[in-house]
Amino acid sequence: MTLDKVAGKLAASAAIGEMGSRAGHGISYPNGEEPDASLPTSHSGRSKLDMTASWAVIGIFLILALTGVYMLQLILVPVTLAVVVGMILGLAAEKLTKLGVPRILNAVLLSSAVALAIFLVINALAGPLAKLALEAPDFFQRTSDKLMPYLDRFKWLHISPETLQSGPMSISTLLENSGNVLHVVSSSLTPAIVQILIFFAALLLFLAGRVSLRKTIIMTFSSRAARLTAIRIINAIEQVLGYYFATASLIYAGIGVAMTIIAYVGGMSVPVLWGVFAFVSSFIPFLGVTTMTIALAIAGIITHSDIILGLAPAVVFFAVHMAVENLVFPAVMGRQWELNPFVVFFAIIFWTWMWGAVGAMLALPLSLIMMTVINELFIEEKTQPQLPG
């Protein structure tokens, strides 16, 4: 009897507790019956289906966006390049503004400086390129004479001295077909001129309206915290791009001078042209130094009869470039802006596929912009700037 009474009290207490729990949570069941917990529900299935549909919409949007970026490259390439160059020149524009120079005059001066720099580079390359074009027949002949001993070893290529003297690979045929090459170049000249005009117009307008554009972007956000974040991101991007490319230009100019000396001592033709190519290619990580090294190796083998002497300029240039990239550059720039090599390589491949050679040069600044935005948004414990007032 005692055990029965105890069991009855425990059952009553459990029933009262369950009723109180239902009352506390505001749960009521029709006819006083609870649903069977073992019955399957479709809530989880609907959630997975909704998530799948959301990701599908995002994927379709990204595909359409990338298609638009690719199709509109005639406009987007010069405009993007103008914005990047304008942000690089942002620090210089700020200093000129502090000196009392009006913003319009600011924009004209900086745009003219960019145009002058491009004109000087083209003018410096005009002479060596014209000389190289005049020496083209002799260059092809020397190339065939140098390469034939190596090509003879690969019988499956079916290339003999007669192949380079007659037929589609002969020098005369190549020179005859140069007219078609000139036609292709001339047909591409008009879009290039249009892009150059778009670039300078966009650069001038961006520099002239840079401050008002900053205010418009900042005031787009409604909350004070979001505006502070926008200010911080814009300032950080301009600082990173300006400091990075100003320092990189000086360092890579040193590489260009070193390459000019290497080409001159190595007995290679138009050493100034090699120096300019080394300077420009250094702004394209990995692919730039690889292309330059291979080109130097081929040119050296063609120029010199001794293969060791021919490969010497390529080896020296590669050693100098690696020393600068791994010792000088990190010491000057520091580690705070170091990018993941795989990310940079993927960015170069992607933007080269999208926009060609200009895309390869834009890959690094676009990666720096993305890295800066991520650092400012997701890294904690940053010093927050305060708005005045």
Side-chain angles (χ1 to χ4, degrees), residues 68-265:
V69 169
Y70 179 79
M71 297 298 294
L72 296 175
Q73 59 178 313
L74 180 65
I75 299 174
L76 291 180
V77 168
V79 171
T80 305
L81 184 61
V83 171
V84 171
V85 173
M87 298 187 77
I88 292 173
L89 298 175
L91 296 179
E94 288 291 339
K95 291 182 179 180
L96 289 176
T97 303
K98 291 180 180 179
L99 293 176
V101 180
R103 294 173 186 171
I104 299 297
L105 184 57
N106 237 343
V108 173
L109 289 176
L110 293 176
S111 300
S112 301
V114 174
L116 180 61
I118 295 175
F119 173 77
L120 291 177
V121 171
I122 294 175
N123 186 55
L125 294 179
L129 287 176
K131 181 181 178 182
L132 191 62
L134 292 175
E135 296 176 353
D138 295 336
F139 175 78
F140 286 136
Q141 186 63 49
R142 285 187 283 111
T143 302
S144 62
D145 295 339
K146 293 288 184 179
L147 292 180
M148 278 311 304
Y150 302 100
L151 295 177
D152 282 338
R153 301 177 183 178
F154 303 96
K155 302 299 182 181
W156 53 274
L157 291 175
H158 302 290
I159 297 177
S160 61
E162 292 76 14
T163 306
L164 299 178
Q165 294 175 1
S166 63
M169 296 181 62
S170 63
I171 298 175
S172 60
T173 304
L174 292 175
L175 293 176
E176 290 175 0
N177 292 333
S178 61
N180 297 329
V181 176
L182 293 176
H183 176 70
V184 173
V185 172
S186 61
S187 63
S188 303
L189 190 60
T190 302
I193 293 175
V194 172
Q195 288 186 320
I196 291 173
L197 294 177
I198 293 175
F199 166 74
F200 282 111
L203 178 62
L204 179 63
L205 295 175
F206 179 82
L207 290 173
R210 190 177 63 89
V211 177
S212 60
L213 182 61
R214 284 168 55 98
K215 292 180 180 179
T216 302
I217 294 174
I218 293 169
M219 297 307 295
T220 302
F221 301 95
S222 57
S223 64
R224 180 184 178 87
R227 291 176 181 176
L228 287 172
T229 303
I231 294 173
R232 193 171 66 249
I233 290 175
I234 294 174
N235 291 338
I237 289 175
E238 288 188 348
Q239 182 181 5
V240 167
L241 290 178
Y243 183 73
Y244 185 94
F245 281 95
T247 309
S249 297
L250 294 176
I251 295 175
Y252 293 152
I255 292 180
V257 173
M259 181 65 249
T260 303
I261 297 174
I262 292 170
Y264 179 78
V265 174

Side-chain angles (χ1 to χ4, degrees), residues 2-18:
T2 305
L3 293 176
D4 292 339
K5 289 181 179 179
V6 173
K9 290 181 179 180
L10 290 175
S13 299
I16 293 171
E18 185 178 355

